Structures are given as structure tokens and as C-alpha cells.
Amino acid sequence: MTLRHIVNWKLAGDTRAERDAQAAEIIAALSPLADIVPSVRALAVHRNELFDGENYDLTLVADFDDAEGLAAYATHPDHVSAGAVVKRYAVARVASDFTV
């Protein structure tokens, strides 16, 4: 059993270039967590490519063994630090968690 955690963010930039720069900073902050947080089984962050302005700008897909693994990730100090980068730029967030 794998718990999949998907988060989408709308970013604050007024232009595509500003949102691209914000996305790059967030990706740089979140991506290393795949190798740092022990409970992460897989983690990827993707910049939206189509329908700019309509779709959410950035998506994180992360896999964990279970809800406890996700909870450990959420409270891990490196995730908390990366989350501060996200909060600097995100104006909206939606998330889903489900078993695959």
C-alpha cells in the first residue's frame, strides 16, 4: 500500500516569468526532501505547462508508506523550512491524499 500526497499551488507572480522564478525556487527547496526525509518513498515537483493563468502553477506528488509517514514528512524540520519558501509565494493551495 502506498499513500499518495498531491498538492497544487497558485503562485503570486503577476507574469509567467515571475511565476516561473517562484516555481524554480520552490522546486529547489522541495526536491531535495526526497533524499532527506526518511519516510518519503518518491517525490517530484512539476511546473504547469499549459493554460497559464487558468491552471494551478505547481504540483507536488509524493508517496509514503502510510499516513504516519506523511505526518513525519509534514513535521520534518527540512520540510518546515521548504514550506516557508512555498508560503512566500503561494496564494492558493489544494491537496489530495489517497491510497494507490
Side-chain angles (χ1 to χ4, degrees):
M1 176 174 87
T2 297
L3 180 69
R4 181 153 293 156
H5 175 63
I6 299 178
V7 183
N8 293 282
W9 295 280
K10 276 272 196 189
L11 302 179
D14 292 326
T15 67
R16 174 76 188 207
E18 289 174 348
R19 290 188 303 277
D20 283 346
Q22 293 169 350
E25 191 173 335
I26 292 169
I27 290 167
L30 290 172
S31 294
L33 298 177
D35 297 321
I36 295 171
V37 180
S39 63
V40 173
R41 298 297 167 244
L43 184 147
V45 188
H46 303 278
R47 176 69 170 100
N48 179 60
E49 297 176 17
L50 301 176
F51 309 109
D52 185 53
E54 295 176 41
N55 288 344
Y56 274 61
D57 298 296
L58 198 61
T59 300
L60 173 134
V61 180
D63 290 344
F64 303 89
D65 289 339
D66 49 32
E68 290 77 18
L70 175 58
Y73 165 78
T75 59
H76 191 282
D78 290 306
H79 175 262
V80 172
S81 295
V85 175
V86 174
K87 288 179 182 178
R88 205 174 322 157
Y89 301 120
V91 295
R93 176 189 182 275
V94 294
S96 294
D97 301 293
F98 52 89
T99 301
V100 294

